[in-house]
Amino acid sequence: MAQDLLLPEFIYPRLQSQRLGKTIHHFLETGSTNDAARQLAEQGAAEGTLVLGEEQTQGRGRLGRSWLSERGAGIYASILLRPVLKPRDAAVLTLVAAVAGSEAIEQACDLRTDIKWPNDLLLRGRKCCGILSEMQADRDDIRYVIVGIGINVNHSAFPAELGECATSLRIEGKQTYSRVALLCELLRRFELLYDDWQRGSLARVLQAWVDRSSFAFGKHVTVDLGRGKKLEGHTAGLSELGNLKVKLADGRVEEVLSGDIVAWR
Ligand code: BTN
């Protein structure tokens, strides 16, 4: 699928977003597209600058994990954003990215993903897309956010150590997909939702997330909060900042700002 390289000349003719992806930096190989995007951000690159890698040698995931980035098989993309917002509002951006990813996969590949809080996209309970947002902020203002998105598109298999946790669109849909088409749809959806959110339509973004997630309400979850702390209970929706509300056995409702759902039923 030589034509499906994520080269700017293949993307620009199909691009429907106005700002996201207007400037593209494409690497055949890079350490992490998030790191490359951060360098560009520090040099003053504009909002919407997009960094793409055909392969990452040090792809990073959330919570210090690595991200498998097989050459030419997935989408490894980082988008530079400069939202005019307070740092505490940035968590919602992660949900925006998850909804955009879920909508794009449905539109371009006809596969309906579930969103595991905060932003893992699942098919049959296995992860096909992850998002790593990294922010630089002063005390009161966001300087920029790098939203890194990894989608397992045309992977045919995963190493044994990932076991039952990972899947790809190809494995689930039993066909290969155009990464260019999926990426362009992702940028279009992302920009629409991002603009909605920046204009203050936060409730619409949160509702879109809830509509696409079986984790939003009534799911029994164990959340790893880090530093050896865990929390168990039933999910009870999102707070207005995008935190996950969990109802504990004693009836108290806790809001989780960051963490990892490690078990659910
Ligand atoms: C996760 O679910 O743990 C987040 C995975 C994020 C992976 C993407 S791939 C593009 C960008 N560059 C990285 O090094 N990580 C993100």
Side-chain angles (χ1 to χ4, degrees), residues 32-34 56 59-62 67 77-78 120 127 130-131 148-150:
S32 157
T33 55
N34 268 30
Q56 298 184 115
R60 287 188 280 114
R62 290 176 65 232
W67 185 259
S78 298
D120 289 350
K127 185 157 159 175
I131 295 161
I149 303 174

Side-chain angles (χ1 to χ4, degrees), residues 70-136:
E70 183 187 328
R71 172 173 285 236
I75 291 175
Y76 318 115
S78 298
I79 306 169
L80 165 62
L81 299 172
R82 298 185 180 278
V84 185
L85 289 163
K86 300 293 166 210
R88 67 174 210 141
D89 296 321
V92 175
L93 191 49
T94 294
L95 306 185
V96 168
V99 173
S102 178
E103 288 181 352
I105 290 170
E106 184 166 1
Q107 180 66 33
C109 311
D110 203 17
L111 293 168
R112 176 87 183 186
T113 55
D114 191 6
I115 311 179
K116 174 172 163 270
W117 186 87
N119 53 13
D120 289 350
L121 300 188
L122 310 182
L123 285 166
R124 274 195 313 128
R126 297 168 188 202
K127 185 157 159 175
C128 62
C129 170
I131 295 161
L132 175 68
S133 296
E134 296 179 314
M135 175 172 71
Q136 279 296 322

Side-chain angles (χ1 to χ4, degrees), residues 4 9 16 20 78 92-93 97 103 111 123 138-139 162 204 223:
D4 199 42
E9 56 262 43
Q16 285 181 277
L20 303 196
S78 298
V92 175
L93 191 49
E103 288 181 352
L111 293 168
L123 285 166
D138 302 327
R139 212 164 67 99
L162 287 178
R204 252 176 66 189
V223 189

